[in-house]
Tab-separated table of all heavy atoms in Angstrom:
chain	number	residue	atom	x	y	z
D	351	SER	N	-46.746	10.960	27.801
D	351	SER	CA	-46.440	10.142	26.641
D	351	SER	C	-46.017	10.981	25.436
D	351	SER	O	-46.496	12.085	25.252
D	351	SER	CB	-47.721	9.407	26.323
D	351	SER	OG	-47.491	8.395	25.439
D	369	ARG	N	-32.471	10.430	28.217
D	369	ARG	CA	-31.763	9.858	29.361
D	369	ARG	C	-30.254	9.900	29.216
D	369	ARG	O	-29.526	9.764	30.193
D	369	ARG	CB	-32.241	8.435	29.649
D	369	ARG	CG	-31.965	7.402	28.555
D	369	ARG	CD	-32.749	6.129	28.897
D	369	ARG	NE	-32.571	5.012	27.999
D	369	ARG	CZ	-33.243	4.818	26.869
D	369	ARG	NH1	-34.122	5.709	26.449
D	369	ARG	NH2	-33.044	3.738	26.136
D	370	ASP	N	-29.757	10.094	27.985
D	370	ASP	CA	-28.303	10.157	27.800
D	370	ASP	C	-27.746	11.576	27.963
D	370	ASP	O	-26.535	11.772	27.911
D	370	ASP	CB	-27.930	9.725	26.370
D	370	ASP	CG	-28.361	8.308	26.049
D	370	ASP	OD1	-28.705	7.564	26.981
D	370	ASP	OD2	-28.355	7.966	24.850
D	458	TYR	N	-12.379	17.175	22.336
D	458	TYR	CA	-13.778	16.868	22.630
D	458	TYR	C	-13.926	15.793	23.710
D	458	TYR	O	-14.736	15.913	24.622
D	458	TYR	CB	-14.471	16.429	21.337
D	458	TYR	CG	-15.948	16.162	21.460
D	458	TYR	CD1	-16.881	17.167	21.223
D	458	TYR	CD2	-16.432	14.895	21.800
D	458	TYR	CE1	-18.241	16.921	21.315
D	458	TYR	CE2	-17.788	14.641	21.899
D	458	TYR	CZ	-18.683	15.651	21.657
D	458	TYR	OH	-20.033	15.401	21.751
D	460	GLU	N	-12.068	15.121	26.146
D	460	GLU	CA	-11.781	15.701	27.460
D	460	GLU	C	-12.962	16.543	27.937
D	460	GLU	O	-13.343	16.500	29.112
D	460	GLU	CB	-10.503	16.554	27.405
D	460	GLU	CG	-9.213	15.726	27.363
D	460	GLU	CD	-9.067	14.883	26.107
D	460	GLU	OE1	-9.472	15.350	25.014
D	460	GLU	OE2	-8.588	13.736	26.210
D	581	TYR	N	-25.371	-7.281	35.368
D	581	TYR	CA	-24.839	-8.267	34.425
D	581	TYR	C	-23.601	-8.949	34.980
D	581	TYR	O	-22.678	-8.294	35.471
D	581	TYR	CB	-24.475	-7.584	33.111
D	581	TYR	CG	-24.045	-8.558	32.043
D	581	TYR	CD1	-24.991	-9.317	31.367
D	581	TYR	CD2	-22.699	-8.748	31.740
D	581	TYR	CE1	-24.609	-10.228	30.394
D	581	TYR	CE2	-22.306	-9.656	30.769
D	581	TYR	CZ	-23.265	-10.402	30.103
D	581	TYR	OH	-22.878	-11.298	29.146
D	583	ARG	N	-23.090	-10.572	37.546
D	583	ARG	CA	-22.923	-10.727	38.997
D	583	ARG	C	-23.293	-12.147	39.409
D	583	ARG	O	-24.269	-12.695	38.909
D	583	ARG	CB	-23.896	-9.796	39.734
D	583	ARG	CG	-23.768	-8.368	39.331
D	583	ARG	CD	-23.453	-7.549	40.536
D	583	ARG	NE	-22.497	-6.553	40.151
D	583	ARG	CZ	-21.754	-5.878	41.018
D	583	ARG	NH1	-21.839	-6.106	42.308
D	583	ARG	NH2	-20.897	-4.991	40.595
D	599	ARG	N	-53.082	4.819	30.916
D	599	ARG	CA	-53.988	3.714	31.234
D	599	ARG	C	-53.812	3.391	32.716
D	599	ARG	O	-52.711	3.175	33.200
D	599	ARG	CB	-53.695	2.496	30.359
D	599	ARG	CG	-54.763	1.419	30.557
D	599	ARG	CD	-54.742	0.358	29.489
D	599	ARG	NE	-55.166	0.863	28.191
D	599	ARG	CZ	-55.265	0.088	27.106
D	599	ARG	NH1	-54.972	-1.198	27.166
D	599	ARG	NH2	-55.649	0.609	25.956
D	623	GLU	N	-37.255	-13.322	29.117
D	623	GLU	CA	-36.818	-12.540	27.974
D	623	GLU	C	-37.869	-11.511	27.534
D	623	GLU	O	-39.049	-11.678	27.765
D	623	GLU	CB	-36.536	-13.459	26.804
D	623	GLU	CG	-35.145	-13.259	26.270
D	623	GLU	CD	-34.504	-14.576	25.934
D	623	GLU	OE1	-34.987	-15.232	25.008
D	623	GLU	OE2	-33.533	-14.952	26.635
E	292	SER	N	-21.241	13.783	16.155
E	292	SER	CA	-21.372	14.052	17.569
E	292	SER	C	-22.432	15.119	17.853
E	292	SER	O	-22.612	16.035	17.065
E	292	SER	CB	-20.005	14.553	18.006
E	292	SER	OG	-19.936	14.587	19.368
E	311	ASP	N	-35.005	4.841	20.673
E	311	ASP	CA	-36.303	4.296	21.097
E	311	ASP	C	-37.425	4.611	20.109
E	311	ASP	O	-38.549	4.158	20.300
E	311	ASP	CB	-36.736	4.926	22.435
E	311	ASP	CG	-35.754	4.688	23.558
E	311	ASP	OD1	-34.878	3.822	23.413
E	311	ASP	OD2	-35.873	5.376	24.599
E	399	TYR	N	-54.369	3.839	23.399
E	399	TYR	CA	-52.972	4.167	23.095
E	399	TYR	C	-52.071	2.929	23.129
E	399	TYR	O	-51.226	2.738	22.244
E	399	TYR	CB	-52.487	5.217	24.095
E	399	TYR	CG	-51.083	5.713	23.862
E	399	TYR	CD1	-50.852	6.840	23.084
E	399	TYR	CD2	-49.989	5.067	24.431
E	399	TYR	CE1	-49.562	7.314	22.876
E	399	TYR	CE2	-48.702	5.535	24.231
E	399	TYR	CZ	-48.496	6.654	23.452
E	399	TYR	OH	-47.223	7.111	23.259
E	401	GLU	N	-52.719	-0.075	22.468
E	401	GLU	CA	-52.931	-0.880	21.257
E	401	GLU	C	-52.239	-0.229	20.054
E	401	GLU	O	-51.636	-0.903	19.228
E	401	GLU	CB	-54.436	-1.048	20.990
E	401	GLU	CG	-55.129	-2.051	21.915
E	401	GLU	CD	-55.134	-1.629	23.380
E	401	GLU	OE1	-55.287	-0.422	23.664
E	401	GLU	OE2	-54.933	-2.511	24.243
E	505	SER	N	-24.032	7.311	27.546
E	505	SER	CA	-25.223	7.770	28.245
E	505	SER	C	-24.709	8.375	29.546
E	505	SER	O	-24.363	7.663	30.479
E	505	SER	CB	-26.165	6.598	28.503
E	505	SER	OG	-27.341	7.067	29.096
E	524	ARG	N	-28.187	-15.449	30.888
E	524	ARG	CA	-27.935	-16.643	30.076
E	524	ARG	C	-26.830	-17.473	30.726
E	524	ARG	O	-25.845	-16.899	31.207
E	524	ARG	CB	-27.417	-16.259	28.693
E	524	ARG	CG	-28.312	-15.326	27.982
E	524	ARG	CD	-28.683	-15.932	26.669
E	524	ARG	NE	-30.057	-15.614	26.438
E	524	ARG	CZ	-30.815	-16.274	25.566
E	524	ARG	NH1	-30.323	-17.273	24.867
E	524	ARG	NH2	-32.059	-15.935	25.406
E	528	PRO	N	-20.919	-14.374	28.125
E	528	PRO	CA	-19.551	-13.837	28.123
E	528	PRO	C	-19.424	-12.615	29.035
E	528	PRO	O	-20.395	-11.897	29.253
E	528	PRO	CB	-19.343	-13.426	26.665
E	528	PRO	CG	-20.700	-13.282	26.097
E	528	PRO	CD	-21.574	-14.226	26.830
E	540	ARG	N	-12.170	11.628	17.009
E	540	ARG	CA	-10.794	11.303	17.383
E	540	ARG	C	-10.433	9.990	16.684
E	540	ARG	O	-11.140	8.992	16.792
E	540	ARG	CB	-10.642	11.175	18.900
E	540	ARG	CG	-9.179	11.033	19.303
E	540	ARG	CD	-8.933	11.265	20.770
E	540	ARG	NE	-9.132	12.654	21.154
E	540	ARG	CZ	-8.930	13.095	22.394
E	540	ARG	NH1	-8.519	12.281	23.345
E	540	ARG	NH2	-9.135	14.364	22.683
E	564	GLU	N	-16.964	-3.806	35.002
E	564	GLU	CA	-17.979	-2.810	35.305
E	564	GLU	C	-17.709	-1.470	34.597
E	564	GLU	O	-16.575	-1.133	34.290
E	564	GLU	CB	-18.024	-2.561	36.795
E	564	GLU	CG	-19.419	-2.742	37.334
E	564	GLU	CD	-19.398	-3.467	38.644
E	564	GLU	OE1	-18.926	-2.873	39.611
E	564	GLU	OE2	-19.833	-4.644	38.675
Side-chain angles (χ1 to χ4, degrees):
Chain D
S351 193
R369 64 191 182 275
D370 300 346
Y458 184 92
E460 284 65 37
Y581 186 77
R583 305 238 141 197
R599 188 165 291 182
E623 235 139 66
Chain E
S292 192
D311 301 345
Y399 183 92
E401 285 65 37
S505 184
R524 305 236 141 199
R540 188 165 291 182
E564 234 139 69

